[in-house]
Amino acid sequence: MLVVRPARAADLPALERLAGSATPRLTNLPAHRDRLEERITRSQRAFSREVEFPGDEHYTFVLEDRERGEVVGTATIRAQAGANEAYYTYRQETLIHASQQLNVRREVQTLSLSHEVSEATLLCALSLDSRYQGTSAMSLLRRARLMFIAQYPERFAEILAVAFPGYLDGDGESPFWNSVGRHFFVRGYQEMNHIAGVRSKSFIAEVMPQFPLYLPLLTPQARAAIGREHPDHEPALEEMLAEGFVRSRHVDIFDAGPVVKAERTRLESFRRAAWHPVRVRPAHTLPDAEPAMIANQQLGDFRCVVARYALSPTGQLMLSPEHAEILGVEEGRAVLAAPLALPAAIDALDEGEL
């Protein structure tokens, strides 16, 4: 029995383990006990606070395997990516250089420092125990956050974004960082990734170049890495594209990993979600049905599980006593359900950014 729920203080050792085993190491999930403890405290404060519009709230969730009594995954929502300080990315742009006298016209690709994504809600800091890779646990942990946002839309922005880790070479180094950032910080990618995770990121605006970077001046390896995800995150990116996210022109400033964005109302989990009253029935009597994400409607005690989308003729969702207990719902109470399966992914660029 797997369930996604808000993180609590007792989950700190598990979060430390998940942060340390993330591949690659995540800037927004540092393997730093004090920072992770602060993250849990901040999350608990966000879940208990009355919120009318998105701000600096961070909601941290964990995936618990109840049979093993273990926390095996974690994921976070930042209500507003740049609530406290600007969330910087590089924006891919095209400049035209032309001369009538020389009969020359060249389109040159550039990267410009941007903080346009600062207003978006960011889905971030996801790490899953390797034993659960390739299972429905991945989708549950990744997309349970959407079930939470669907219930409390006032807490989040209309635009959601996900920044994926970028390509690293066989030595764990970023070709993009080595061609750009290292010249300004004189530090390796892994060191800067750690510093960015445990300190303020104000140094980005202070040190990174403010003028556009011309791609022809970067190394071929750096250019090839722009907008390319880390191989271990290819399935995650494909699922988010199937969900309805589209590639933006923004990439991470450290490793040039892709940033995908979407209007939340266009996402599959939002469009196909429906409320159903619960009918509790023994597990062996439930009809066969496709799996779905099922979430209760309790803010601080939010729970989301994968169960069969078994509906009665009158539209009641039939749950086993075990699932009803995990969700903390009684017969007649309403739950939000959305199919776990997604259509084929469409790899497209945000039309608003063409």
Side-chain angles (χ1 to χ4, degrees):
M1 287 287 189
L2 299 175
V3 58
V4 171
R5 59 166 175 80
R8 47 193 182 224
D11 300 325
L12 179 58
L15 262 62
E16 284 186 279
R17 176 175 53 81
L18 291 164
S21 63
T23 305
R25 293 295 180 90
L26 303 177
T27 305
N28 47 37
L29 187 64
H32 189 285
R33 188 178 184 85
D34 290 345
R35 293 295 173 268
L36 293 173
E37 192 171 23
E38 290 175 10
R39 179 186 295 264
I40 294 173
T41 301
R42 185 174 190 176
S43 176
Q44 291 176 319
R45 188 164 58 244
F47 277 104
S48 63
R49 182 188 302 174
E50 291 188 9
V51 175
E52 297 180 355
F53 50 86
D56 65 352
E57 299 84 21
H58 287 202
Y59 303 86
T60 296
F61 301 85
V62 296
L63 176 68
E64 180 183 359
D65 186 328
R66 288 171 62 93
E67 291 183 2
R68 289 179 169 169
E70 291 183 54
V71 167
V72 298
T74 183
T76 294
I77 309 172
R78 289 170 61 177
Q80 190 177 70
N84 290 329
E85 54 187 18
Y87 180 82
Y88 286 99
T89 60
Y90 272 126
R91 178 183 168 90
Q92 302 178 75
E93 298 177 347
T94 301
L95 295 181
I96 297 176
H97 291 254
S99 170
Q100 291 184 343
Q101 291 181 334
L102 298 178
N103 193 28
V104 173
R105 185 183 186 279
R106 293 290 304 276
E107 291 187 359
V108 182
Q109 304 301 311
T110 66
L111 293 175
S112 296
L113 201 61
S114 169
H115 48 75
E116 295 174 14
V117 184
S118 293
E119 297 299 314
T121 288
L122 191 67
L123 307 182
C124 60
L126 187 148
S127 179
L128 180 66
D129 189 299
S130 60
R131 294 171 294 175
Y132 296 81
Q133 298 290 342
T135 71
S136 61
M138 298 178 65
S139 294
L140 175 62
L141 178 60
R142 193 175 297 127
R143 295 168 55 208
R145 294 173 294 180
L146 301 179
M147 299 290 281
F148 183 78
I149 294 172
Q151 295 194 49
Y152 305 100
E154 71 282 358
R155 293 175 174 261
F156 305 100
E158 293 290 337
I159 300 297
L160 308 184
V162 188
F164 286 92
Y167 172 78
L168 303 181
D169 63 22
D171 297 322
E173 288 295 323
S174 165
F176 181 80
W177 176 261
N178 288 338
S179 187
V180 178
R182 182 182 283 274
H183 296 298
F184 298 91
F185 290 93
V186 200
R187 285 181 170 88
Y189 168 75
Q190 297 293 351
E191 182 182 0
M192 283 307 305
N193 200 37
H194 177 73
I195 291 174
V198 300
R199 300 182 186 176
S200 168
K201 296 183 182 179
S202 59
F203 64 82
I204 294 171
E206 296 167 353
V207 182
M208 289 296 275
Q210 300 295 313
F211 299 102
L213 303 177
Y214 283 71
L215 266 58
L217 301 181
L218 305 184
T219 64
Q221 294 86 350
R223 294 199 298 271
I226 296 173
R228 181 180 175 186
E229 70 278 8
H230 189 282
D232 287 353
H233 289 258
E234 289 176 3
L237 176 57
E238 183 176 0
E239 181 171 52
M240 288 295 95
L241 294 175
E243 178 69 62
F245 284 88
V246 292
R247 292 181 184 267
S248 72
R249 292 191 180 275
H250 297 269
V251 297
D252 184 80
I253 63 167
F254 289 157
D255 57 24
V259 176
V260 299
K261 297 166 60 179
E263 294 181 23
R264 66 190 189 198
T265 53
R266 294 189 174 186
L267 296 177
E268 292 291 325
S269 294
F270 283 72
R271 295 194 306 106
R272 301 167 70 192
W275 290 99
H276 298 280
V278 168
R279 175 184 288 181
V280 180
R281 292 292 182 269
H284 70 275
T285 67
L286 298 181
D288 192 24
E290 294 297 319
M293 296 180 293
I294 314 294
N296 66 10
Q297 52 178 327
Q298 301 175 37
L299 176 62
D301 291 319
F302 174 80
R303 300 289 185 273
C304 187
V305 301
V306 171
R308 284 180 285 182
Y309 206 158
L311 296 180
S312 71
T314 55
Q316 293 172 305
L317 182 66
M318 292 181 280
L319 291 177
S320 68
E322 293 79 10
H323 279 128
E325 179 186 2
I326 292 173
L327 292 170
V329 295
E330 300 174 349
E331 190 156 306
R333 295 296 299 270
V335 291
L336 184 66
L340 189 66
L342 290 169
I346 299 176
D347 199 337
L349 182 67
D350 185 353
E351 294 180 359
E353 303 214 22
L354 294 176

